[in-house]
Amino acid sequence: MPSAADVLALEAVAYELWLAQEVEELDGWRLRFAHGFTGRANSVWPNADGRLELAGKIERVEAWYRERGVPPMFQLTAAARPGGLDAALAARGYVLRGEPVSVQTAPLRGIAARATGDAEVSETLDDTWVELWTGSRGFDRVDVARALLQAGRSAFARVREVAVGRGVAVDRWLGITSMTTLPEARRCGHGRAILGALARWGRAQGCTRALLQVEHGNVPAERLYASAGFVASHDYHYRLLR
């Protein structure tokens, strides 16, 4: 198992993949808000120590999110601070939201070597890409999606109008997000083609390793990423106050 320091180092990279439109620092925590689109961009990143008393600090988090009309939510890993935060939130009535998510890494060279199929890559985000991705998630705020997707040094891969994926270069890391294939076009190798195209783009940016997140239980995605060379580093989960 990775140490808390190793988890924190990867989470610092992953933080850059979903840069929320609004972020407020609170005693070592980061409160993120992006109108409810994606869990990471709408949850607390609680990965640094602080000096405030915990219960009062959580109350300030809850007030901040209430002002924005969304329930407070925490994204929790082994790096969360203080220790015991997960249990404290559970005791306060926070419930688990969704399945745990596996954070996985792989060498870019191996992904490119295993790639098959062709996908286009552009550093410009076009309407077709956005509409396919937001449509798969039932989210109609295209302006919010664009702001999130274009934050950072990003590239957008696509196979015609049926599959998309996004890459973000963060130092030597390539973050891979937003992998989506329309149901009628699955099991045709489009995901593998997109991974390969993004890996080649990432290597051109000086990246050497890739990072992605996949929800436990998403068996087709887990199989795809394992076949591309990804291995698990750690998990995270969300706690939500309804």
Side-chain angles (χ1 to χ4, degrees), residues 85-97:
L85 175 60
D86 193 20
L89 292 170
R92 195 175 175 89
Y94 282 74
V95 298
L96 294 173
R97 181 254 201 187

Side-chain angles (χ1 to χ4, degrees), residues 7-199:
V7 172
L8 179 58
L10 278 182
E11 285 299 308
V13 175
Y15 177 89
E16 300 294 325
L17 308 185
W18 293 110
L19 294 172
Q21 293 164 294
E22 185 177 359
V23 178
E24 183 169 317
E25 299 283 340
L26 174 61
D27 191 42
W29 293 354
R30 298 174 189 170
L31 283 53
R32 302 173 289 186
F33 176 67
H35 301 277
F37 195 37
T38 81
R40 276 187 172 269
N42 291 275
S43 58
V44 181
W45 195 80
N47 296 334
D49 289 311
R51 297 182 177 181
L52 294 177
E53 181 266 334
L54 181 58
K57 191 171 174 178
I58 294 173
E59 288 175 0
R60 290 175 62 174
V61 167
E62 291 169 358
W64 194 85
Y65 281 100
R66 279 198 302 269
E67 289 173 359
R68 287 151 184 81
V70 295
M73 184 166 67
F74 285 73
Q75 183 221 337
L76 298 160
T77 69
R81 292 292 178 268
L85 175 60
D86 193 20
L89 292 170
R92 195 175 175 89
Y94 282 74
V95 298
L96 294 173
R97 181 254 201 187
E99 296 295 326
V101 177
S102 175
V103 178
Q104 304 188 358
T105 66
L108 277 187
R109 185 184 299 274
I111 299 172
R114 294 177 174 91
T116 57
D118 295 319
E120 301 175 355
V121 177
S122 173
E123 295 181 5
T124 300
L125 181 59
D126 64 40
D127 291 341
T128 300
W129 200 107
V130 177
E131 289 167 5
L132 193 156
W133 188 61
T134 55
S136 71
R137 285 156 174 76
F139 190 76
D140 59 4
R141 287 289 304 273
V142 173
D143 58 326
V144 174
R146 278 188 171 278
L148 280 172
L149 293 164
Q150 294 179 121
R153 187 154 46 113
S154 300
F156 306 94
R158 187 174 76 196
V159 176
R160 300 188 302 279
E161 285 74 41
V162 298
V164 296
R166 170 179 174 253
V168 187
V170 182
D171 298 324
R172 294 288 181 177
W173 286 92
L174 173 71
I176 296 175
T177 81
S178 313
M179 296 284 290
T180 301
T181 301
L182 294 180
E184 62 270 21
R186 291 173 184 165
R187 298 185 180 181
C188 297
H190 300 324
R192 188 177 299 279
I194 286 173
L195 285 178
L198 291 174

